[in-house]
Amino acid sequence: MGDFHMSKLTKLIFKFSLLLAIPVAGHAGSITLGSLSSTPGSETTIFLPVASYLAKGLADFGITDARVRVARSHAEMADLMKQGEVDLFIDSSISALIVQRQSGGHFLARRWKKGISEYHSVIFVRKESGISQLKDLGGHTMGFEEPFSSSGYLLPASEMIRSGLSLVPVGQQAQSMGVGYRFTGADENTLLWVLHGRLDAGAMAGNKLAKLAASLQDELKVIYQSRTIPYHVVVVRQGLSILLQQAIHQRLLEMHNNSHGQQVLEAFEKTGRFDDIPANVLRNLQSIQLDPVLERQ
Amino acid sequence: MGYRRLSFSIRAKLVFFTVSIILLVGGGISWFDASVLRGQLIDHFEAAADQVDASTSAALVDALYFLDIPRLRGELQQAQVNHDVSVAVALDTQGRVLSDGSTDNPLWLQTFPGSIAQRLVDTRQPVHERQAGKIIKGRPVHSPGGGLLGFFYMEYSTGNLEQASAEAQQQRLLLAIAFISFGGLLAWLLAWHATKPLTCMLSAVREIGSGNLDVTLSTDRSDEIGALGESINAMASNLRRTTTSIERLNAEIAEREQTEIRLIEACDDAEKANTAKSDFLSHMSHELRTPLNAILGFGQILEMDAESLNDEQNESIREILVAGDHLLHLINEVLDLAKIESSKLEIFMQAVEVDEVMQQCLSLIVVQAEQRQLSIIDNISNRGYVVQADALRLKQVLLNLLSNAVKYNRVQGTITLDAEIIDGQRLRISIVDTGKGLTEDELARLFKPFERIESDRHVEGSGIGLVISQRLTGLMAGNMGVNSAVGTGSEFWIEFELVNSL
């Protein structure tokens, strides 16, 4: 994304041509944000202010309206983006990676949600478990949070697969010497089940484990730490005009610099700001192999 | 320094006592009602807490069994839907917090603080405590097989209970205030209605007390107050009559007092006039007696030289002496009366023999009695009566009475002298004549100075002899009286203290 340097006259001619001939958004005259959720009502309430904020700064592109579309699955969201029904998709990095790869879009910015810009996942075991490294997990059981959890399943599972481990549902690992896994439903459950010996290992975000196991330093140990990836990112659909992408990118990055933008960010699940995704972090994200993981969902 | 005793009107007392009763009854009922309501609220809260405790504990079995924190959170959040549940915590078997129902779960895997929670974990027995503002309950959660899964600890806030109780008390307080205010108003109206007739009566009685007796109270009531009003009206009526009588009596008394004053003044004037008269008479008597004595003296000298005078001259000299004696007698009587009235006559009281005095007197009138051929019946002499009197004045009195008996008797009449001892202490001496007797009118004027009976104008006399005799008798502590019958004669009597008798 390079800078564009045009004279005022050139800009005016270009904008005019855009207004007259180029479809700039999924619905003419509006910008649409997408989200994954099973509760579209509340989700729309959360996302619509951001969409409206962006729309107000894009009048030069003929955008006067803001919309929110909610999908229940990554595939549905990817289809909507491919159809031009959704212009921007904002979600956790793994979900965004899935949608980005399925829809053909690309990453536009990083979102600081609740003060967190990036994270990594860890795999932990009881200290007396005898497990000291990733490859020792073969034939043991492991807990992930839930199938769509980036830090609690997608990232650590992809890393484990990339490391040569095989993941099989609990009960089958003894035959295949793979790692038997099950979804616990919550990071707290994962921690407790490992702690009570119901599972041999667990995976979750490193900061989450630090918080949940603050008083359990003597009982647990981390045997693996994943690469760092963004916490939340913004994906823009394929086919949106470059000028409009740039305008959206600019407006997102400047959002935290004005009071109205700050208010909208605060209401948007305590978002601190949007910024560019550091290159190494983006590389980590883009190198994740999700297909083996997603096949198990 | 003394304290003045406070005094309240009947109306104030009625209002005070009625409001006090209302306060006692209303306050008591409100207090009892509030107590009962508070008891019911506490029971309700206890039952609700038991219900939450039991249901949540049962609901936590599966979540604790599976160590499912989201489910635990959901169950605890479900419990906390009840706003009175201030704390709802699921603990593991070691007493560490698994969930407090919040997403943040700040006490995650930390030992839950507090002695009651510690006792729950240590004893593994249900706990139930009531502390200020909350009810604390806790119980172990067991699997169906009996194994310990963890604990449920709950604090049930009684803030709403206190608030509900306070609101109920406030409502009852407001109700009590309204009740008391209304009751106070009714009490005042009742007191006003009850005391109004009393106030009217009080005003009426004050009016009566200030002298206005024309007050009339309405007596259209048939109760005690009506009877009291009638009594007050009757009292006022009686007072009016009594006052009228008193005023009339006062007027009469005032008139009599004026009359008495006038009488006293008249008496004083009369006394002064009488004194002046007596002084005049005494002075004049002395002035008259001096030349009269000279006349009589020279007349008696001429009489002694009767041989040198002719018959006509001797007759003239005799008439001069008779007239002079009469005049001298008259002057002496006047002088005596004057002395008596001016209290200048001296009385020498002593034991006097009546017989002796009587004989002296009879000897002086015997000639005159013989001239009128009168018979004297003496029933006194030789009886030896002795009375307490002035001998000279007793003789003067007897002589006057005997002279009158002679002068006013008929020719050839009778004079009867009697004596009678009365009550053994006094002696009554009676002189009875057989003259014409005295009429009632003559009897009334008999003892007044210078009063002479019209029919006896021809009888020589001054008209003051009987008056002098009566006064002298009085001065000698005696009495004089007269009994008379016209055509039969008169009885004059005198009484003196009897000294002794034969």
Side-chain angles (χ1 to χ4, degrees):
Chain A
M1 290 178 279
D3 292 331
F4 292 83
H5 299 286
M6 293 185 287
S7 66
K8 287 185 177 180
L9 179 61
T10 305
K11 285 182 178 178
L12 281 173
I13 293 170
F14 185 73
K15 288 178 179 177
F16 183 72
S17 64
L18 284 173
L19 288 171
L20 290 177
I22 302 173
V24 294
H27 288 275
S30 67
I31 185 168
T32 305
L33 268 60
S35 179
L36 288 178
S37 176
S38 57
T39 55
S42 60
E43 202 73 2
T44 302
T45 303
I46 294 170
F47 277 75
L48 190 57
V50 179
S52 298
Y53 178 84
L54 292 175
K56 285 181 182 175
L58 301 173
D60 289 345
F61 295 91
I63 294 175
T64 57
D65 192 16
R67 294 183 178 186
V68 175
R69 287 296 300 270
V70 179
R72 292 187 175 184
S73 66
H74 295 102
E76 183 182 354
M77 180 54 66
D79 287 343
L80 290 172
M81 293 191 78
K82 281 192 287 188
Q83 295 166 8
E85 293 291 326
V86 171
D87 300 312
L88 300 173
F89 177 64
I90 304 174
D91 209 326
S92 64
S93 54
I94 298 299
S95 288
L97 181 64
I98 295 170
V99 172
Q100 179 263 329
R101 285 179 177 171
Q102 291 181 357
S103 67
H106 63 271
F107 296 105
L108 186 64
R110 181 173 68 173
R111 175 191 177 193
W112 291 58
K113 183 181 178 183
K114 297 179 180 176
I116 300 172
S117 62
E118 54 193 29
Y119 68 95
H120 59 267
S121 291
V122 295
I123 297 173
F124 60 94
V125 297
R126 291 188 306 279
K127 278 189 174 177
E128 71 277 13
S129 65
I131 301 171
S132 58
Q133 54 184 342
L134 202 57
K135 62 180 182 182
D136 296 337
L137 288 174
H140 292 281
T141 57
M142 182 170 179
F144 297 109
E145 184 188 10
E146 55 189 9
F148 294 103
S149 171
S150 297
S151 60
Y153 172 61
L154 295 173
L155 178 58
S158 68
E159 293 284 281
M160 289 173 71
I161 291 172
R162 193 167 69 98
S163 299
L165 292 172
S166 62
L167 294 173
V168 294
V170 170
Q172 301 176 15
Q173 79 277 16
Q175 299 170 353
S176 62
M177 286 305 290
V179 180
Y181 72 93
R182 63 179 299 178
F183 294 107
T184 64
D187 288 335
E188 291 92 337
N189 291 359
T190 305
L191 176 64
L192 283 178
W193 292 9
V194 171
L195 204 59
H196 284 78
R198 296 185 182 183
L199 294 172
D200 297 317
M204 67 178 70
N207 57 348
K208 190 71 177 289
L209 180 67
K211 180 182 176 183
L212 293 178
S215 59
L216 304 171
Q217 299 297 323
D218 296 337
E219 299 181 56
L220 301 174
K221 65 178 179 182
V222 174
I223 61 170
Y224 177 75
Q225 177 176 321
S226 74
R227 289 169 291 176
T228 299
I229 62 172
Y231 187 28
H232 272 230
V233 292
V234 180
V235 177
V236 61
R237 73 172 170 88
Q238 188 181 29
L240 197 66
S241 75
I242 298 299
L243 289 178
L244 185 54
Q245 287 183 39
Q246 287 181 333
I248 292 170
H249 175 261
Q250 189 68 23
R251 191 152 175 80
L252 285 172
L253 265 58
E254 293 175 354
M255 201 170 174
H256 65 281
N257 291 329
N258 64 81
S259 59
H260 181 217
Q262 288 171 3
Q263 291 175 3
V264 174
L265 288 173
E266 177 65 21
F268 186 43
E269 298 175 318
K270 297 185 178 179
T271 299
R273 59 183 294 188
F274 289 96
D275 64 357
D276 287 325
I277 306 171
N280 61 326
V281 176
L282 180 59
R283 196 162 45 246
N284 290 339
L285 178 62
Q286 289 175 327
S287 64
I288 293 174
Q289 297 296 317
L290 289 174
D291 292 342
V293 180
L294 293 174
E295 288 172 356
R296 288 172 171 78
Q297 291 186 8
Chain B
M1 184 174 180
Y3 292 94
R4 183 183 174 188
R5 185 178 178 184
L6 289 175
S7 176
F8 298 100
S9 66
I10 293 176
R11 184 176 297 175
K13 288 175 182 173
L14 275 174
V15 172
F16 175 76
F17 285 119
T18 309
V19 170
S20 298
I21 290 170
I22 292 170
L23 269 174
L24 283 174
V25 174
I29 291 173
S30 297
W31 177 84
F32 177 75
D33 187 38
S35 300
V36 170
L37 180 66
R38 181 173 175 77
Q40 291 173 344
L41 286 171
I42 290 173
D43 292 343
H44 172 74
F45 266 67
E46 291 277 4
D50 289 343
Q51 173 66 27
V52 173
D53 182 32
S55 62
T56 306
S57 297
L60 290 181
V61 171
D62 289 345
L64 282 173
Y65 181 83
F66 291 114
L67 288 176
D68 189 345
I69 300 304
R71 191 169 175 181
L72 275 178
R73 184 184 303 121
E75 298 296 347
L76 294 173
Q77 286 175 347
Q78 185 65 32
Q80 290 170 346
V81 168
N82 185 329
H83 295 298
D84 294 323
V85 177
S86 58
V87 176
V89 184
L91 308 177
D92 65 11
T93 54
Q94 299 174 45
R96 294 179 301 190
V97 175
L98 294 178
S99 177
D100 62 0
S102 70
T103 305
D104 294 340
N105 204 9
L107 294 177
W108 164 254
L109 292 182
Q110 294 180 34
T111 302
F112 190 78
S115 59
I116 298 173
Q118 189 61 48
R119 190 168 78 235
L120 169 65
V121 175
D122 292 343
T123 62
R124 299 187 174 185
Q125 295 296 322
V127 293
H128 181 119
E129 293 253 344
R130 283 198 63 188
Q131 294 183 352
K134 59 186 177 184
I135 299 170
I136 299 174
K137 300 180 77 68
R139 66 169 66 194
V141 179
H142 295 95
S143 68
L148 181 66
L149 299 174
F151 301 95
F152 173 57
Y153 176 90
M154 179 183 74
E155 291 184 2
Y156 200 83
S157 172
T158 56
N160 287 336
L161 165 67
E162 301 298 338
Q163 184 179 357
S165 179
E167 287 175 354
Q169 287 180 345
Q170 187 177 12
Q171 287 175 351
R172 275 146 187 80
L173 179 63
L174 290 174
L175 193 63
I177 290 172
F179 180 65
I180 290 166
S181 301
F182 183 66
L185 179 62
L186 284 180
W188 186 87
L189 288 173
L190 175 66
W192 182 82
H193 180 73
T195 57
K196 183 184 176 184
L198 292 178
T199 306
C200 293
M201 288 181 185
L202 178 62
S203 299
V205 171
R206 282 177 173 162
E207 284 285 314
I208 293 170
S210 63
N212 180 11
L213 301 179
D214 295 328
V215 174
T216 302
L217 284 170
S218 172
T219 56
D220 54 353
R221 299 173 64 126
S222 58
D223 53 7
E224 293 85 347
I225 291 175
L228 181 59
E230 289 178 354
S231 299
I232 290 174
N233 285 340
M235 179 186 72
S237 177
N238 289 333
L239 279 173
R240 278 195 299 273
R241 284 196 296 273
T242 304
T243 303
T244 303
S245 299
I246 289 172
E247 287 174 351
R248 191 165 58 244
L249 285 173
N250 284 337
E252 289 178 2
I253 289 170
E255 187 178 354
R256 288 184 183 184
E257 285 177 350
Q258 291 297 322
T259 304
E260 188 176 344
I261 290 171
R262 286 194 297 274
L263 282 173
I264 290 171
E265 289 174 351
C267 284
D268 288 344
D269 292 343
E271 190 78 21
K272 290 175 183 175
N274 198 37
T275 304
K277 179 199 70 180
S278 299
D279 291 343
F280 174 76
L281 289 176
S282 176
H283 181 70
M284 287 303 296
S285 296
H286 281 289
E287 292 298 322
L288 289 173
R289 205 159 51 171
T290 302
L292 183 57
N293 284 334
I295 293 170
L296 286 173
F298 283 113
Q300 288 170 354
I301 292 170
L302 288 173
E303 188 180 31
M304 284 187 295
D305 194 18
E307 294 173 354
S308 62
L309 299 175
N310 58 26
D311 292 340
E312 187 177 0
Q313 287 174 326
N314 282 326
E315 183 63 24
S316 298
I317 289 168
R318 196 165 45 251
E319 287 181 359
I320 288 171
L321 289 174
V322 170
D325 285 338
H326 178 70
L327 185 57
L328 180 60
H329 179 71
L330 185 60
I331 289 170
N332 285 337
E333 284 187 336
V334 171
L335 189 59
D336 284 344
L337 182 60
K339 285 182 179 178
I340 289 169
E341 290 186 345
S342 63
S343 302
K344 292 179 179 177
L345 185 71
E346 294 182 348
I347 298 296
F348 302 97
M349 296 294 286
Q350 59 186 339
V352 179
E353 291 182 5
V354 176
D355 190 18
E356 181 182 347
V357 175
M358 184 61 77
Q359 288 305 317
Q360 291 175 2
C361 293
L362 287 173
S363 65
L364 291 174
I365 65 153
V366 66
V367 176
Q368 296 172 349
E370 287 175 351
Q371 289 176 349
R372 294 182 58 86
Q373 301 173 9
L374 296 176
S375 301
I376 296 175
I377 301 171
D378 184 5
N379 298 323
I380 296 176
S381 299
N382 303 318
R383 297 288 181 91
Y385 294 123
V386 178
V387 296
Q388 191 69 20
D390 181 321
L392 181 61
R393 297 304 174 186
L394 177 58
K395 179 182 175 182
Q396 184 179 347
V397 170
L398 284 173
L399 186 59
N400 174 254
L401 294 178
L402 289 169
S403 298
N404 286 342
V406 172
K407 286 191 288 184
Y408 295 104
N409 212 332
R410 60 182 171 84
V411 179
Q412 295 180 335
T414 303
I415 298 174
T416 304
L417 305 178
D418 282 320
E420 180 186 7
I421 296 173
I422 299 173
D423 298 333
Q425 295 180 342
R426 300 179 68 81
L427 178 69
R428 171 175 287 192
I429 300 170
S430 300
I431 299 168
V432 183
D433 63 55
T434 55
K436 293 192 298 183
L438 299 168
T439 65
E440 289 293 327
D441 179 60
E442 289 169 340
L443 283 172
R445 295 187 287 117
L446 192 61
F447 293 104
K448 292 183 178 178
F450 304 107
E451 289 283 347
R452 298 208 60 190
I453 299 169
E454 193 63 29
S455 58
D456 292 334
R457 291 285 180 189
H458 61 282
V459 179
E460 185 182 88
S462 63
I464 60 174
L466 266 178
V467 176
I468 292 171
S469 296
Q470 187 194 36
R471 303 284 176 87
L472 288 174
T473 302
L475 289 173
M476 291 185 289
N479 291 322
M480 173 180 280
V482 60
N483 301 317
S484 183
V486 176
T488 303
S490 300
E491 175 193 13
F492 288 84
W493 54 264
I494 54 176
E495 289 179 1
F496 295 96
E497 183 184 353
L498 180 64
V499 177
N500 60 31
S501 64
L502 294 175

